[in-house]
Amino acid sequence: MPDEPRRPLSDLHAGERVQAIITSHQPWGLTAKINGYEPVGASLDVIRRGSEPGVERMAEALPAVGSTVELTVAELRPWHHEPWVWVDLTSA
């Protein structure tokens, strides 16, 4: 079965709800792969965003690696290596 076409990163905007697969747990939060878009770095920093109600709840019980969760794009930031963009996620 062929892979589903991926949307370009230019279609991704702050405030957009996305489906994300959790790829790792880190001391500061988690990393994720955003479904349906070109590959891009993405993470939810529970230390920096920990005061946000949804993030606070998520920090108490991080979703399992491999699970799919709905998250919100907080911001798109330039990154120092490919893919040149990092997606800062939140659970708000």
Side-chain angles (χ1 to χ4, degrees), residues 28-74:
W28 45 263
L30 54 86
T31 61
K33 174 185 167 202
I34 300 174
N35 289 341
Y37 286 91
E38 295 172 344
V40 64
S43 63
L44 191 156
D45 186 330
V46 297
I47 294 173
R48 191 163 41 90
R49 296 192 169 277
S51 63
E52 298 171 9
V55 174
E56 185 175 25
R57 284 189 301 276
M58 186 174 284
E60 292 171 4
L62 290 176
V65 171
S67 63
T68 300
V69 295
E70 186 174 75
L71 296 171
T72 301
V73 175

Side-chain angles (χ1 to χ4, degrees), residues 2 6 13 19 24 35 46 52 57 63 65 76 79 81 88 92:
R6 297 192 178 265
H13 301 285
Q19 295 292 314
S24 74
N35 289 341
V46 297
E52 298 171 9
R57 284 189 301 276
V65 171
L76 300 162
W79 196 240
H81 56 78
D88 187 16

